[in-house]
Structures are given as structure tokens and as C-alpha cells.
Amino acid sequence: MRIVVHVNETDLRRWHVLLLERLAALPSCTVRLALSDAPSRAPDGIEALFRLESVVHGLPAPRLSARLGPAERPMFPAPEATPHDLDIDLCGEAVPEGTRLWRLDFNGAAGEAGLLSAILADETILAELIEDGRSLAQGRLGTEYPGVALATFEDVLARTVTLIVAYVEKGGPGALPRLPDEAPRAIRGAGRPLAQRALRTTAGAVLRRIYRLCYRTPHWRVGWRRIEGGDLFDLKAHPETGWTDLPDDGKRFYADPFPVETAGGLTLFVEDYVHALGKGLISAVAFGPDGPLGAPVPVMEQDCHLSYPFVFEREGQMWMIPETNQRGTIELFRATAFPGGWVREAVLVSGLSASDATLAEKDGVFWLFATVRDGGGAFSDALHLWSAPDFRGPWTAHPANPVLVDIASARPAGRMVWRDGTLWRPVQDCRRGYGTALGLAKVLRLDGEGFEQSVETILTPGPRWPGRRMHSLNRAGPFEFIDGSGTAPRWS
């Protein structure tokens, strides 16, 4: 395929180079670069805002968003007079000449201008490739740093590269699920004028930074309840009784609750994050009929941050797949002295940064779900799948990976459950920031050719779960567990 990528010369950035390189690396693809001499479409003052945020938030130097001067321009040839197959318009300036034209839109507006406009308005970002008014590929793109424009810009640019390359290479990812709280989409191109959206100042960013300097935030907490009647998959709402917090000392937080029931009773595993260490380990606490029997005790520590202790029983032994993305692996551990004595049995997947690996079994096939950070961007918006005949492997990547790019429903949020012959998965809804809401998604398709789900319910914090986040869901025996976050003073 012969591709011409159109970019505004004044807005040429490093992410354009990354996209060109990845497209050129695809088999049978040749890529040329067409530079437009139109004025910059970025809002006035955006570079000044980026510089100030870098100082206030201690951000690293811009990578993908860094502008390129004449001496740094990529060594891709200009278009030739000979015909080509496809134009990819990244700036909203391209004029097709008898070829297919794909336009990159963000929230209904073309190119970088649309993206920056959406970021400054704190909107969930919908990226689309459009051809003749028809959406070819979509992704709800996320960030790990909501409210910080430069960090959000960097994260979204990274995942935009993922989205475009995946569609050119595989014709994917799959269609986005409709969300229960999603308003009908506005007509493309009918968004508010960019100047109106860009009337945000840096005051909000500065105040947020001051707040974060005074408090440890987020300070996660685990909630538990004894189930009387249905669980959250049945209720689709918080229980009338609310939740009881698992106490902490303010110097650490507990998150990612994973309970497991054995012959010895119910044990709850959690991420145990000590603020002074800046690293998570895995702790466990036994539960009696009335709740926890003491405080969580460390049972696993590694040379990297640990979280999301996906624990399960199989073949008469206890196993765990904790998050070890700092090592670039998904690893399987076995307990030799439950609830401790964990030894590494296998590296299931390596060479990537995967979050919240979650195991499920369907029709005799094991499936592993995780979100993957594809060289940058958010940790929560690109869902990858692997399959295996045994939970120890060997694991094979799904040919359509990423099967879903969606900040609202890609990232796992706990064990998947079967109800009336249907597989359900709790998912993280990160549209308003990491872990701010919990979705319950029905799996409509899971096989070697594709994946599809439908988000049926979204649960948020409220009177029965005060705070700012709701992040995961798990159940074992008569108890159900969630988590969320608050704040803890740094001087506590």
C-alpha cells in the first residue's frame, strides 16, 4: 500500500515521526510525508501552558509532543506525481486527488486542534478515522494524569499511533461498546469554537499541584460488606447497607482487594502501598464471620512494585498473577506456605508493560486479559488478549490485539464471573481519571477471531461509597469487596 501522510509543517511533532516509522515498517507499505504550509491550528498559549505545567508538575521533557524544527524533520520523501493508494490527513488540510482519504478526528473536530480543544475542555477523548463521513476505527483514549494538559496530550498521542497502525495493519480494533451514561454523539464538525474551549488558564493546574503537595493523593481504601441478598452484578447499584472500610494507619493504603475461600476460611489479598517507600507489596488478612481478623500482613515483596494480586485455586494449589509491569512481564506464582511462601513458577508473557492481568476460562480455553502500554500513552485504554490450553501456558497473543481501545471499558477491574451462561467482566471506567468508576460488561464474543462486550452498568462513588473513585470488584464466600480513594495528609 502506498500511503501519503499529511501534516501541518508548523505543528510537526515527534509523534508524527513515530507514526511514519511504524507505518513504514508494515509489510508492503511505502510512506511519504506531505507538509502543509498553513498556519498552526493549535490554540494560542498552549506551548506556554505546557512549559508551565512541566515546571509545576515536574514533568519530563516532552517526547511525542515536542515540535520539530527544520533540522529535525524526518527523512521521509515528499509525495510523487505517481498515483498512491491512501491519504491520511492528520491536520484537516488535505485535499484528496482521486484516492481514499482518511481524516483523523478528535471529538468531531479535525486533527491536533480538535484534540487540544477536547483536552482543555476536560472531555473524554474520542479518536476516529473518518472516510467520507463514515467512522472506520474508534478509540476512547485515556491518560494517567487527568487535568494536566501536557501529560494528557503525550498519552493520547501515543495511543493515537496505536489506533492508526492497528487499523492499517489489521482493520481493527473492534467497535466501541455503547455506555449506559453516554449522550448521543454530536454531529461531526459541529463542536464549540476552539477559541471558546481554550479559555482555560493555568490557575487550575497550579491549584491542583498545591493540593497534591499538601496531601498524599490518591490514598486508596478497601471497602467490604457481608452479602445479604444479591451482589453488585445482581443489584447493579450500591447496597443500601453501604460498605465498611478496611482500616489503615494513614501511612500506607490498601487497594486491589482479591478474596479467596479455602478450607481454612476466607483470606483477603490486597496491594499494600507504603507512601514512604513509594512501592507496593502484597499483604493478606483472614476474615471471620464478622470481618477482618486483624490487619493485613505482608506475604509477597519483589524488587518491583506489586499490585492487583489475582489469586486463584487450581489443581489443589493456590496461584497468583500479581501486576509486575515494571519488569515488563506477566508472571505466575505458586504458594508454598499459604497465604505466604510465594515462588515464581513461570513468566507467562514478557516484553511489554501490562496492567491488571485477569484470567478466565471459556470452553476449555484459558484467556488472559490485560491493558498494554504500547510504547507510551495511558496504561488503561488498550485491551490485549492471550489464549492458552493451560493456565501455565504457552500463551498466544490474539491476532487482533489490541482488541479494544477504550478508556471507558478496556482495563480489567477484578475477576470475571459467569451468570446464566454469560461471562461478565468488571471494567475500569477511566474517562474522568484513573479508576473513577466501575463498569459491569457483558462479554458478547470471545474467540480466536474477535472480542466484543457490552457495558450494562456503571457504578460511581456516592452517599453509600463516599470518595472520588471506585476501582475494582471481587467476591468470595459471603463477602464482597470494592476499593476507591480519598486523601491522607503528608504529615500524618
Side-chain angles (χ1 to χ4, degrees):
M1 178 182 290
R2 294 161 297 178
I3 302 173
V4 174
V5 177
H6 297 258
V7 179
N8 189 330
E9 183 173 10
T10 56
D11 293 325
L12 183 64
R13 301 181 187 271
R14 285 183 184 157
W15 81 273
H16 296 117
V17 179
L18 176 61
L19 175 62
L20 291 164
E21 291 172 345
R22 290 190 60 175
L23 289 175
L26 296 178
S28 303
C29 272
T30 59
V31 180
R32 295 184 177 273
L33 174 63
L35 293 175
S36 164
D37 59 1
S40 173
R41 301 188 68 196
D44 293 339
I46 193 66
E47 298 297 334
L49 171 61
F50 286 168
R51 288 192 294 271
L52 182 57
E53 284 185 328
S54 295
V55 173
V56 172
H57 294 279
L59 301 177
R63 292 189 315 109
L64 297 181
S65 65
R67 290 182 185 271
L68 301 181
E72 303 172 290
R73 288 175 185 167
M75 302 300 292
F76 281 85
E80 296 178 327
T82 56
H84 55 277
D85 303 302
L86 174 67
D87 291 278
I88 300 179
D89 180 11
L90 304 181
C91 59
E93 305 287 344
V95 178
E97 297 181 359
T99 61
R100 300 178 66 189
L101 173 66
W102 296 353
R103 188 183 72 244
L104 176 65
D105 276 12
F106 295 96
N107 291 21
E112 184 176 293
L115 173 55
L116 290 170
S117 177
I119 290 173
L120 293 171
D122 291 323
E123 296 175 345
T124 301
I125 296 167
L126 175 67
E128 295 183 282
L129 280 177
I130 306 294
E131 181 179 9
D132 293 330
R134 179 174 61 94
S135 180
L136 302 175
Q138 301 177 347
R140 293 188 195 97
L141 310 189
T143 181
E144 302 302 312
Y145 309 96
V148 183
L150 175 56
T152 301
F153 193 41
E154 289 270 335
D155 283 350
V156 170
L157 292 177
R159 194 59 67 245
T160 299
V161 172
T162 301
L163 184 71
I164 295 173
V165 173
Y167 190 76
V168 172
E169 181 181 18
K170 307 171 184 177
L176 287 173
R178 178 67 184 272
L179 303 176
D181 62 351
E182 190 173 47
R185 192 179 308 163
I187 298 173
R188 292 191 180 93
R192 288 169 290 163
L194 181 60
Q196 294 181 16
R197 292 189 181 184
L199 291 178
R200 301 293 180 94
T201 69
T202 58
V206 173
L207 290 175
R208 282 190 292 272
R209 181 57 179 173
I210 292 173
Y211 179 81
R212 289 170 182 166
L213 288 173
C214 295
Y215 288 89
R216 297 184 177 112
T217 178
H219 183 86
W220 293 87
R221 73 190 203 279
V222 167
W224 62 271
R225 73 178 184 108
R226 189 174 181 89
I227 299 173
E228 303 290 344
D231 60 15
L232 287 195
F233 283 96
D234 299 318
L235 300 175
K236 297 179 174 55
H238 287 284
E240 295 289 338
T241 55
W243 304 85
T244 301
D245 282 5
L246 183 68
D248 63 61
D249 59 10
K251 297 179 181 179
R252 62 182 359 100
F253 66 64
Y254 303 127
D256 291 344
F258 272 86
V260 64
E261 195 173 32
T262 65
L266 190 145
T267 303
L268 176 68
F269 291 81
V270 294
E271 174 194 347
D272 183 346
Y273 186 94
V274 181
H275 286 295
L277 298 178
K279 186 181 81 169
L281 49 91
I282 304 302
S283 290
V285 59
F287 262 63
D290 299 318
L293 302 176
V297 175
V299 296
M300 182 195 293
E301 185 173 4
Q302 298 281 307
D303 59 359
C304 66
H305 172 78
L306 297 177
S307 60
Y308 202 80
F310 186 93
V311 61
F312 62 101
E313 185 174 8
R314 195 82 184 182
E315 299 178 353
Q317 299 192 77
M318 301 306 299
W319 307 83
M320 185 193 298
I321 306 175
E323 180 179 306
T324 55
N325 70 29
Q326 288 183 350
R327 281 208 282 252
T329 57
I330 301 175
E331 301 179 5
L332 176 68
F333 290 79
R334 179 176 55 86
T336 60
F338 186 82
W342 295 95
V343 296
R344 186 168 66 179
E345 285 286 308
V347 175
L348 306 181
V349 183
S350 62
L352 46 74
S353 179
S355 297
D356 299 348
T358 300
L359 188 68
E361 186 179 3
K362 180 178 181 288
D363 300 328
V365 177
F366 287 90
W367 292 93
L368 197 60
F369 290 66
T371 49
V372 172
R373 196 179 193 209
D374 180 24
F379 289 88
S380 307
D381 57 4
L383 178 63
H384 286 232
L385 302 180
W386 297 262
S387 60
D390 185 89
F391 67 92
R392 285 161 290 215
W395 290 93
T396 301
H398 198 289
N401 281 340
V403 297
L404 178 66
V405 176
D406 185 11
I407 194 63
S409 70
R411 187 164 178 166
R415 291 193 188 99
M416 301 171 69
V417 303
W418 286 93
R419 293 293 165 85
D420 299 324
T422 298
L423 187 61
W424 290 75
R425 60 183 298 252
V427 297
Q428 295 187 39
D429 182 350
C430 302
R431 286 175 291 170
R432 294 168 182 84
Y434 170 67
T436 51
L438 177 75
L440 304 179
K442 180 191 298 185
V443 175
L444 305 176
R445 180 182 182 183
L446 174 59
D447 55 42
E449 296 181 353
F451 170 79
E452 187 178 351
Q453 69 179 17
S454 171
V455 180
E456 302 293 317
T457 302
I458 294 177
L459 300 171
T460 60
R464 296 186 181 91
W465 179 243
R468 295 181 293 112
R469 301 176 194 242
M470 185 175 176
H471 167 260
S472 66
L473 168 67
N474 279 298
R475 172 186 178 170
F479 290 97
E480 190 170 37
F481 300 85
I482 60 173
D483 66 352
S485 71
T487 58
R490 289 188 180 275
W491 51 83
S492 63

